[in-house]
């Protein structure tokens, strides 16, 4: 360590930071992006280290004949500059890549903000703006599974808005083309997200949500795909009650009452105070003719709401109405919810309550 102490210290600090980052990356989550970033930082460390200690060139002395004067470069320190060349190349390439990455991330965040600020009367415009931003993010960085998952959910929500608008205007023909396009991109993006990261349960949740909404819009055309997506999500997260709840609802709508009942009970075994699942369990029991058991489930929900001083809530009113109509044909109406308690337009999943 013959160089100036402060230069040597800087090089050691950079090297230590690189080691810490590598350890964190291995412990947390290693991605292609992280690999590139680590090599990029390594190149910078090597370049700084080489320039800060030019006497390392003494180990490599070259004797060349340059021009007619035969200038000897034997005593010239050229090793630092040789080592600096790949560092400069990687620095330029890394800067370009990081610029693309952060531009895509800015577009993605703008898309999420547009959804978060969406108003009910301007949902069509806000969802369209959000879809454009996230589409730009995918164009910049196409291998981020979260981009594709959110793109799929926003696309199917936009499809719902256009379907509603077509019904209000009684004009299906004018919106037929854009509806077909949104249906295609929503399913394709949902499938792409699970292909990029098949072990991320949220990607399967998003895919299930897309199929769930398409089942509603098409009258059941995606039922098998929906059930397959839920089962795949359960493989990676077998203790999430929302998934068992949704699976139970899907099975109930498919006429598999006994299987549906078991799935709803499993959801409540995992989370006894998960009230949407308990409500759907009551409706399922009523559907199967077990009115007394259904009434007990509704009374349990009513007591929980009263204990939490929620008598003025919409949910409490809904439970009161259900208790009055229990045992009639109009009572057995399941919530048919998504697996995650999120707002319909403000994020990836709609509300389950």
């Amino acid at each position: 360590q013959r160089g100036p102490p402060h230069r040597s210290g800087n090089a050691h600090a950079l090297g230590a930071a690189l080691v810490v980052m590598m350890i964190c990356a291995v412990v947390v989550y290693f991605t292609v992006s992280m690999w590139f970033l680590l090599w990029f930082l390594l190149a910078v460390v090597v370049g700084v280290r080489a320039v800060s200690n030019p006497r390392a060139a003494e180990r490599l002395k070259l004797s060349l004949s340059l021009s007619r004067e035969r200038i000897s470069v034997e005593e010239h320190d050229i090793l630092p500059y040789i080592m600096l060349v790949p560092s400069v190349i990687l620095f330029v390439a890394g800067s370009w890549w990081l610029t693309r990455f952060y531009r895509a991330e800015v577009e993605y965040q703008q898309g999420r903000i547009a959804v978060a600020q969406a108003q009910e009367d301007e949902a069509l415009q806000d969802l369209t703006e959000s879809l454009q931003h996230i589409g730009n993010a995918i164009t910049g960085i196409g291998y981020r599974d979260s981009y594709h998952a959110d793109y799929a959910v926003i696309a199917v929500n936009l499809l719902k808005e256009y379907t509603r608008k077509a019904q209000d205007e009684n004009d299906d023909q004018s919106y037929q083309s854009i509806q077909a396009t949104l249906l295609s991109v929503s399913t394709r993006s949902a499938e792409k997200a699970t292909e990029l990261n098949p072990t991320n349960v949220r990607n399967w949740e998003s895919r299930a949500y897309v199929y769930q909404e398409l089942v509603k819009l098409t009258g059941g055309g995606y039922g098998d795909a929906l059930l397959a997506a839920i089962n795949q999500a359960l493989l990676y997260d077998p203790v999430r009650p929302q998934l068992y709840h949704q699976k139970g609802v899907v099975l109930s709508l498919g006429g598999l009452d006994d299987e549906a009942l078991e799935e709803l009970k499993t959801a409540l075994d995992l989370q006894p105070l998960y009230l949407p699942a308990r409500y759907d369990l009551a409706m399922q029991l009523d559907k199967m003719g077990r009115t007394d058991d259904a009434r007990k489930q509704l009374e349990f929900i009513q007591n929980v709401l009263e204990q939490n001083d929620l008598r003025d809530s919409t949910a409490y009113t809904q439970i009161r109405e259900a208790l009055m109509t229990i045992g009639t044909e109009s009572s057995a109406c399941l919530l048919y919810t998504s697996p995650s308690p999120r707002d319909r337009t403000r994020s990836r999943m709609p509300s389950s309550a």
Side-chain angles (χ1 to χ4, degrees):
Q1 307 298 339
R2 302 179 184 178
H6 69 279
R7 290 185 178 181
S8 179
N10 291 338
H12 290 163
L14 287 172
L18 177 64
V19 172
V20 172
M21 285 192 62
M22 291 180 67
I23 295 174
C24 293
V26 172
V27 171
V28 181
Y29 190 65
F30 232 115
T31 63
V32 176
S33 304
M34 185 62 72
W35 271 111
F36 189 91
L37 186 59
L38 289 176
W39 280 111
F40 168 62
L41 292 177
L42 180 61
V44 173
V45 171
V46 170
V48 172
R49 181 62 178 163
V51 174
S52 66
N53 188 15
R55 293 191 179 184
E58 294 177 0
R59 299 178 182 179
L60 181 64
K61 295 184 178 181
L62 301 178
S63 299
L64 299 173
S65 176
L66 301 178
S67 76
R68 294 181 180 179
E69 288 80 5
R70 302 180 63 84
I71 301 176
S72 175
V73 295
E74 185 176 0
E75 301 301 327
H76 288 256
D77 297 330
I78 64 173
L79 181 60
Y81 304 100
I82 293 176
M83 297 180 67
L84 190 59
V85 170
S87 299
V88 172
I89 294 175
L90 279 178
F91 179 81
V92 173
S95 299
W96 172 79
W97 180 87
L98 288 175
T99 300
R100 285 187 59 195
F101 178 84
Y102 285 115
R103 285 182 62 185
E105 189 64 20
V106 168
E107 290 282 357
Y108 175 67
Q109 295 301 331
Q110 287 178 339
R112 291 179 62 86
I113 291 173
V115 171
Q117 295 178 347
Q119 302 295 327
E120 192 67 28
D121 55 344
E122 298 180 356
L124 196 66
Q125 178 181 349
D126 293 330
L127 288 173
T128 300
E129 180 183 353
S130 176
L131 197 69
Q132 290 174 346
H133 282 300
I134 297 182
N136 293 336
I138 292 175
T139 301
I141 302 293
Y143 57 82
R144 295 291 300 274
D145 58 298
S146 59
Y147 292 0
H148 290 277
D150 283 340
Y151 191 82
V153 170
I154 293 172
V156 79
N157 283 335
L158 188 58
L159 173 60
K160 290 163 56 179
E161 293 298 328
Y162 273 109
T163 301
R164 185 179 297 110
K165 185 175 182 180
Q167 293 173 349
D168 292 341
E169 298 179 0
N170 196 22
D171 184 11
D172 294 336
Q173 195 67 27
S174 300
Y175 303 103
Q176 187 173 5
S177 176
I178 191 169
Q179 286 175 310
T181 301
L182 289 171
L183 187 150
S184 176
V185 299
S186 63
T187 54
R188 188 168 62 248
S189 295
E191 293 167 0
K192 183 66 175 179
T194 53
E195 290 174 4
L196 290 171
N197 192 353
T199 61
N200 188 344
V201 66
R202 294 189 62 179
N203 291 337
W204 289 104
E205 281 188 331
S206 296
R207 184 167 173 172
Y209 172 70
V210 169
Y211 289 144
Q212 171 185 289
E213 297 307 310
L214 293 179
V215 166
K216 298 177 185 179
L217 293 173
T218 63
Y222 291 83
D224 292 339
L226 169 58
L227 195 58
I230 297 173
N231 287 332
Q232 197 67 30
L234 284 170
L235 287 178
Y236 298 111
D237 193 354
V239 294
R240 182 169 298 190
Q242 293 88 351
L243 292 172
Y244 291 99
H245 174 207
Q246 189 188 31
K247 184 178 180 180
V249 174
V250 173
L251 292 173
S252 177
L253 293 174
L256 302 175
D257 292 333
D258 293 333
E259 292 86 343
L261 191 66
E262 291 302 318
E263 298 296 335
L264 292 170
K265 287 182 177 179
T266 301
L268 290 174
D269 289 339
L270 293 170
Q271 188 174 337
L273 292 179
Y274 183 37
L275 299 186
R278 192 170 292 277
Y279 175 86
D280 281 341
L281 175 62
M283 297 299 100
Q284 180 63 30
L285 290 168
D286 185 42
K287 177 184 176 183
M288 298 172 68
R290 298 169 56 178
T291 305
D292 292 338
D293 292 334
R295 187 179 298 278
K296 291 179 181 179
Q297 298 297 329
L298 293 175
E299 290 174 348
F300 178 90
I301 299 175
Q302 184 181 27
N303 291 334
V304 171
L305 295 175
E306 289 176 352
Q307 292 173 6
N308 289 275
D309 197 20
L310 294 173
R311 290 181 175 84
D312 296 331
S313 66
T314 303
Y316 188 81
T317 303
Q318 182 182 11
I319 297 302
R320 296 276 295 177
E321 293 176 353
L323 282 169
M324 289 186 292
T325 59
I326 198 75
T328 65
E329 293 183 358
S330 60
S331 65
C333 180
L334 278 71
L335 291 178
Y336 194 48
T337 61
S338 67
S340 181
R342 301 185 178 194
D343 185 79
R344 176 178 57 83
T345 58
R346 291 177 184 267
S347 68
R348 296 170 68 173
M349 298 294 172
S351 175
S352 62

